[in-house]
Amino acid sequence: MARNFVELKVSMRAKAGKGAARATRREGLVPAVVYGGKSEPAMIALDPRLVMRELGKSGWRSQLYQLMVDDKRTVALMRAVQLHPVTDRPLHVDFQRMVAGQHIRVEIPVTFEGEEIAPGVKRGGVVNIVQHSVEVNCDVEHIPEAFIADLSKLDIHDNIRWSDLKGADKVMHTNQHEEDFVIATIAPPTVAVETSEETSEEASEEKTAEVSTEE
């Protein structure tokens, strides 16, 4: 399947520095920099609405963006976004150039499918998500858009592990503590436990009432 690219319209900035960045913001744009790829950093600016649109997507950290920089089409990842502490308006964006053959660390979202038909869920179990995303080390050509976790066959106490994810065959995770860690589990229903606790409380109240009556 062809990799999905998102094209962002950007303009060039002539200068770097705090003064130039403030001037860019006064124009209603967000200052940004494109670095890496054995090239000089490029100063750019873009519409803040485009930034907020991308931040609203769960997989923006692994999304590949196409930018026109110095009349050249550049592929980049959005690495960091600085937000205003009060308004959450984007103040600055860092993009990293992607070059063929380059290996990078990137956070990939996990998409969960089949929850509605999972035997454990049908029996009252609850999906407990342990990892919403996984950081991996991979080359630029094989950055996954997302990993797929298929929950459709899971019963209560079953789980999905790293080795079960679809789309993880060409990348390596960076988890140094566990090789095949848990992504999600089907936890047993809690209704029975809550009912038992309520029954115990009612019994305790009745006993207290009996003691009070005897007195």
Side-chain angles (χ1 to χ4, degrees), residues 22 40 80 100 123 148:
R22 284 194 291 267
E40 290 296 318
R123 296 203 297 124
I148 306 298

Side-chain angles (χ1 to χ4, degrees), residues 27-98:
E27 294 174 1
L29 299 174
V30 180
V33 60
V34 184
Y35 65 87
K38 297 181 179 180
S39 298
E40 290 296 318
M43 303 298 134
I44 62 172
L46 66 164
D47 191 322
R49 292 172 296 184
L50 295 179
V51 179
M52 296 307 296
R53 182 194 70 188
E54 296 307 310
L55 292 182
K57 301 176 182 178
S58 61
W60 67 269
R61 294 183 184 277
S62 61
Q63 176 64 60
L64 289 177
Y65 296 98
Q66 288 187 340
L67 317 171
M68 287 299 293
V69 178
D70 291 329
D71 296 326
K72 296 180 181 179
R73 192 170 297 277
T74 299
V75 176
L77 285 173
M78 191 185 296
R79 282 306 210 179
V81 180
Q82 180 185 352
L83 300 176
H84 190 282
V86 177
T87 65
D88 280 341
R89 178 184 173 84
L91 298 176
H92 192 273
V93 182
D94 288 350
F95 289 95
Q96 182 182 0
R97 274 190 201 89
M98 299 291 99

Side-chain angles (χ1 to χ4, degrees), residues 140-205:
V140 174
E141 288 82 0
H142 295 110
I143 299 177
E145 290 188 41
F147 296 130
I148 306 298
D150 183 5
L151 308 175
S152 63
K153 297 181 180 179
L154 267 59
D155 207 337
I156 292 174
H157 297 303
D158 287 345
N159 59 54
I160 288 282
R161 291 181 174 272
W162 162 256
S163 58
D164 301 315
L165 294 179
K166 297 178 182 178
D169 53 322
K170 294 182 179 180
V171 300
M172 295 179 60
H173 68 73
T174 61
N175 189 330
Q176 299 179 355
H177 303 291
E178 193 173 359
E179 179 62 31
D180 197 18
F181 50 89
V182 173
I183 301 297
T185 64
I186 303 292
T190 58
V191 176
V193 176
E194 292 174 353
T195 302
S196 176
E197 291 177 350
E198 290 174 359
T199 303
S200 298
E201 290 176 0
E202 290 174 358
S204 177
E205 290 175 357

